[in-house]
Short mmCIF file of all heavy atoms in Angstrom, two decimals:
data_model
loop_
_atom_site.label_atom_id
_atom_site.label_comp_id
_atom_site.label_asym_id
_atom_site.label_seq_id
_atom_site.Cartn_x
_atom_site.Cartn_y
_atom_site.Cartn_z
N ARG A 81 2.93 18.71 11.38
CA ARG A 81 3.89 19.45 12.20
C ARG A 81 4.17 20.81 11.56
O ARG A 81 4.04 20.98 10.35
CB ARG A 81 5.19 18.67 12.39
CG ARG A 81 6.03 18.49 11.15
CD ARG A 81 7.22 17.58 11.45
NE ARG A 81 8.08 17.40 10.30
CZ ARG A 81 9.10 16.54 10.25
NH1 ARG A 81 9.38 15.78 11.31
NH2 ARG A 81 9.84 16.45 9.15
N GLN A 82 4.55 21.75 12.41
CA GLN A 82 4.89 23.08 11.94
C GLN A 82 6.03 23.64 12.78
O GLN A 82 5.93 23.72 14.00
CB GLN A 82 3.69 24.02 12.01
CG GLN A 82 3.93 25.38 11.38
CD GLN A 82 2.66 26.17 11.19
OE1 GLN A 82 1.70 26.00 11.93
NE2 GLN A 82 2.65 27.03 10.18
N ALA A 83 7.11 24.01 12.11
CA ALA A 83 8.23 24.67 12.74
C ALA A 83 8.11 26.17 12.52
O ALA A 83 7.47 26.61 11.55
CB ALA A 83 9.55 24.15 12.17
N PRO A 84 8.70 27.00 13.38
CA PRO A 84 8.60 28.46 13.22
C PRO A 84 9.07 28.91 11.85
O PRO A 84 10.13 28.50 11.37
CB PRO A 84 9.52 28.99 14.32
CG PRO A 84 9.50 27.93 15.36
CD PRO A 84 9.45 26.64 14.60
N GLY A 85 8.27 29.75 11.20
CA GLY A 85 8.61 30.28 9.90
C GLY A 85 8.41 29.33 8.74
O GLY A 85 8.74 29.68 7.60
N LYS A 86 7.88 28.14 9.00
CA LYS A 86 7.67 27.16 7.95
C LYS A 86 6.20 26.81 7.81
O LYS A 86 5.40 27.02 8.73
CB LYS A 86 8.48 25.89 8.23
CG LYS A 86 9.99 26.10 8.22
CD LYS A 86 10.73 24.79 8.39
CE LYS A 86 12.23 24.98 8.32
NZ LYS A 86 12.95 23.69 8.48
N GLN A 87 5.85 26.25 6.66
CA GLN A 87 4.49 25.81 6.41
C GLN A 87 4.19 24.54 7.20
O GLN A 87 5.08 23.72 7.45
CB GLN A 87 4.27 25.55 4.93
CG GLN A 87 4.32 26.78 4.04
CD GLN A 87 3.06 27.61 4.17
OE1 GLN A 87 2.99 28.52 5.00
NE2 GLN A 87 2.06 27.30 3.36
N ARG A 88 2.93 24.38 7.56
CA ARG A 88 2.49 23.13 8.17
C ARG A 88 2.57 22.01 7.14
O ARG A 88 2.22 22.21 5.97
CB ARG A 88 1.05 23.29 8.67
CG ARG A 88 0.49 22.08 9.38
CD ARG A 88 -0.95 22.34 9.79
NE ARG A 88 -1.80 22.56 8.64
CZ ARG A 88 -2.96 23.21 8.67
NH1 ARG A 88 -3.40 23.72 9.81
NH2 ARG A 88 -3.67 23.36 7.56
N GLU A 89 3.05 20.86 7.55
CA GLU A 89 3.18 19.73 6.64
C GLU A 89 2.57 18.47 7.23
O GLU A 89 2.61 18.25 8.44
CB GLU A 89 4.65 19.47 6.28
CG GLU A 89 5.52 19.05 7.45
CD GLU A 89 6.92 18.63 7.04
OE1 GLU A 89 7.12 18.22 5.88
OE2 GLU A 89 7.83 18.71 7.89
N LEU A 90 2.02 17.65 6.36
CA LEU A 90 1.50 16.35 6.77
C LEU A 90 2.66 15.40 6.99
O LEU A 90 3.50 15.22 6.12
CB LEU A 90 0.56 15.79 5.69
CG LEU A 90 -0.01 14.39 5.96
CD1 LEU A 90 -0.95 14.41 7.16
CD2 LEU A 90 -0.75 13.88 4.73
N VAL A 91 2.70 14.80 8.17
CA VAL A 91 3.75 13.86 8.54
C VAL A 91 3.32 12.43 8.25
O VAL A 91 4.08 11.64 7.68
CB VAL A 91 4.13 14.01 10.02
CG1 VAL A 91 5.15 12.96 10.44
CG2 VAL A 91 4.67 15.41 10.28
N ALA A 92 2.12 12.07 8.68
CA ALA A 92 1.61 10.72 8.52
C ALA A 92 0.10 10.73 8.57
O ALA A 92 -0.50 11.60 9.21
CB ALA A 92 2.17 9.79 9.61
N ALA A 93 -0.53 9.77 7.91
CA ALA A 93 -1.98 9.63 7.93
C ALA A 93 -2.34 8.16 7.98
O ALA A 93 -1.59 7.30 7.49
CB ALA A 93 -2.62 10.28 6.71
N ILE A 94 -3.50 7.86 8.58
CA ILE A 94 -3.99 6.49 8.66
C ILE A 94 -5.48 6.50 8.37
O ILE A 94 -6.24 7.31 8.90
CB ILE A 94 -3.67 5.87 10.04
CG1 ILE A 94 -4.10 4.40 10.07
CG2 ILE A 94 -4.30 6.66 11.18
CD1 ILE A 94 -3.51 3.64 11.26
N SER A 95 -5.92 5.61 7.50
CA SER A 95 -7.31 5.53 7.09
C SER A 95 -8.11 4.69 8.08
O SER A 95 -7.57 4.05 8.98
CB SER A 95 -7.42 4.93 5.69
OG SER A 95 -7.13 3.54 5.72
N SER A 96 -9.43 4.70 7.90
CA SER A 96 -10.29 3.90 8.76
C SER A 96 -9.99 2.41 8.65
O SER A 96 -10.19 1.67 9.61
CB SER A 96 -11.76 4.15 8.43
OG SER A 96 -12.05 3.80 7.08
N GLY A 97 -9.49 1.99 7.49
CA GLY A 97 -9.13 0.60 7.28
C GLY A 97 -7.72 0.24 7.69
O GLY A 97 -7.32 -0.93 7.56
N GLY A 98 -6.95 1.22 8.16
CA GLY A 98 -5.59 0.96 8.63
C GLY A 98 -4.49 1.25 7.63
O GLY A 98 -3.31 1.08 7.96
N GLY A 99 -4.84 1.68 6.43
CA GLY A 99 -3.82 2.05 5.47
C GLY A 99 -3.08 3.31 5.90
O GLY A 99 -3.68 4.20 6.50
N THR A 100 -1.79 3.39 5.60
CA THR A 100 -0.97 4.50 6.06
C THR A 100 -0.19 5.14 4.92
O THR A 100 0.06 4.51 3.89
CB THR A 100 0.03 4.05 7.14
OG1 THR A 100 0.90 3.05 6.59
CG2 THR A 100 -0.70 3.49 8.35
N ASN A 101 0.17 6.40 5.11
CA ASN A 101 1.14 7.05 4.25
C ASN A 101 1.95 8.03 5.08
O ASN A 101 1.50 8.50 6.12
CB ASN A 101 0.50 7.72 3.03
CG ASN A 101 -0.43 8.85 3.38
OD1 ASN A 101 0.01 9.95 3.72
ND2 ASN A 101 -1.73 8.60 3.28
N TYR A 102 3.18 8.31 4.61
CA TYR A 102 4.14 9.10 5.36
C TYR A 102 4.84 10.10 4.46
O TYR A 102 5.04 9.85 3.27
CB TYR A 102 5.20 8.20 5.99
CG TYR A 102 4.68 7.19 6.97
CD1 TYR A 102 4.30 5.92 6.54
CD2 TYR A 102 4.57 7.50 8.32
CE1 TYR A 102 3.80 4.99 7.44
CE2 TYR A 102 4.08 6.57 9.22
CZ TYR A 102 3.70 5.31 8.78
OH TYR A 102 3.22 4.39 9.68
N ALA A 103 5.23 11.21 5.05
CA ALA A 103 6.13 12.12 4.35
C ALA A 103 7.46 11.42 4.12
O ALA A 103 7.92 10.62 4.95
CB ALA A 103 6.34 13.39 5.16
N GLY A 104 8.10 11.70 2.99
CA GLY A 104 9.35 11.05 2.67
C GLY A 104 10.43 11.26 3.73
O GLY A 104 11.26 10.37 3.95
N SER A 105 10.39 12.40 4.40
CA SER A 105 11.41 12.72 5.38
C SER A 105 11.34 11.87 6.65
O SER A 105 12.30 11.82 7.41
CB SER A 105 11.33 14.20 5.77
OG SER A 105 10.06 14.51 6.31
N VAL A 106 10.20 11.19 6.87
CA VAL A 106 10.04 10.40 8.09
C VAL A 106 9.84 8.92 7.83
O VAL A 106 9.78 8.14 8.79
CB VAL A 106 8.88 10.93 8.97
CG1 VAL A 106 9.04 12.42 9.24
CG2 VAL A 106 7.53 10.63 8.33
N LYS A 107 9.76 8.52 6.57
CA LYS A 107 9.57 7.10 6.26
C LYS A 107 10.70 6.27 6.85
O LYS A 107 11.87 6.63 6.75
CB LYS A 107 9.51 6.88 4.75
CG LYS A 107 8.19 7.25 4.12
CD LYS A 107 8.17 6.91 2.64
CE LYS A 107 6.83 7.23 2.02
NZ LYS A 107 6.80 6.92 0.57
N GLY A 108 10.33 5.17 7.47
CA GLY A 108 11.30 4.29 8.09
C GLY A 108 11.64 4.68 9.51
O GLY A 108 12.31 3.90 10.21
N ARG A 109 11.20 5.86 9.95
CA ARG A 109 11.49 6.33 11.31
C ARG A 109 10.23 6.50 12.16
O ARG A 109 10.27 6.27 13.36
CB ARG A 109 12.26 7.65 11.27
CG ARG A 109 13.60 7.56 10.55
CD ARG A 109 14.42 8.84 10.75
NE ARG A 109 13.74 10.00 10.18
CZ ARG A 109 13.37 11.08 10.89
NH1 ARG A 109 13.61 11.12 12.20
NH2 ARG A 109 12.77 12.09 10.29
N PHE A 110 9.13 6.93 11.54
CA PHE A 110 7.88 7.18 12.25
C PHE A 110 6.85 6.12 11.89
O PHE A 110 6.83 5.62 10.75
CB PHE A 110 7.29 8.55 11.88
CG PHE A 110 8.06 9.74 12.38
CD1 PHE A 110 9.33 9.63 12.93
CD2 PHE A 110 7.50 11.01 12.29
CE1 PHE A 110 10.03 10.73 13.38
CE2 PHE A 110 8.18 12.13 12.74
CZ PHE A 110 9.44 11.99 13.28
N THR A 111 5.97 5.80 12.84
CA THR A 111 4.89 4.85 12.61
C THR A 111 3.60 5.41 13.20
O THR A 111 3.55 5.74 14.38
CB THR A 111 5.18 3.48 13.25
OG1 THR A 111 6.43 2.97 12.76
CG2 THR A 111 4.07 2.49 12.91
N ILE A 112 2.55 5.51 12.38
CA ILE A 112 1.24 5.93 12.84
C ILE A 112 0.38 4.70 13.08
O ILE A 112 0.46 3.72 12.33
CB ILE A 112 0.57 6.90 11.85
CG1 ILE A 112 -0.71 7.50 12.43
CG2 ILE A 112 0.31 6.23 10.51
CD1 ILE A 112 -1.29 8.64 11.59
N SER A 113 -0.42 4.72 14.14
CA SER A 113 -1.30 3.61 14.45
C SER A 113 -2.54 4.15 15.15
O SER A 113 -2.60 5.32 15.52
CB SER A 113 -0.59 2.57 15.33
OG SER A 113 -0.18 3.14 16.56
N ARG A 114 -3.54 3.29 15.33
CA ARG A 114 -4.75 3.71 16.01
C ARG A 114 -5.31 2.58 16.85
O ARG A 114 -5.12 1.40 16.55
CB ARG A 114 -5.79 4.23 15.00
CG ARG A 114 -6.29 3.21 14.00
CD ARG A 114 -6.99 3.90 12.81
NE ARG A 114 -8.06 4.79 13.24
CZ ARG A 114 -8.63 5.72 12.48
NH1 ARG A 114 -8.22 5.90 11.22
NH2 ARG A 114 -9.60 6.48 12.96
N ASP A 115 -6.02 2.95 17.91
CA ASP A 115 -6.69 2.02 18.80
C ASP A 115 -8.14 2.46 18.87
O ASP A 115 -8.48 3.41 19.58
CB ASP A 115 -6.04 2.03 20.18
CG ASP A 115 -6.61 0.99 21.12
OD1 ASP A 115 -7.77 0.59 20.95
OD2 ASP A 115 -5.88 0.57 22.04
N SER A 116 -9.02 1.77 18.13
CA SER A 116 -10.41 2.17 18.05
C SER A 116 -11.11 2.10 19.40
O SER A 116 -11.97 2.93 19.71
CB SER A 116 -11.14 1.30 17.03
OG SER A 116 -10.64 1.52 15.73
#
C-alpha cells in the first residue's frame, strides 16, 4: 500500500506453500489468502 507522500510498504505476503507474513500494523486485522 502507498499513501500520498509516503513510501510504499509491504502489508502482507503469502508463499507458494501458504506461509504468510504481515506488517506489524495490520497483524490480527488483515488476512492474506490464495485460490490456486
Side-chain angles (χ1 to χ4, degrees):
R81 68 186 182 188
Q82 187 167 28
K86 296 185 178 180
Q87 292 285 91
R88 183 181 62 203
E89 65 173 335
L90 178 66
V91 175
I94 184 166
S95 72
S96 60
T100 60
N101 64 76
Y102 299 90
S105 59
V106 307
K107 282 184 178 179
R109 300 190 297 120
F110 290 11
T111 304
I112 188 170
S113 61
R114 64 196 305 165
D115 185 334
S116 295

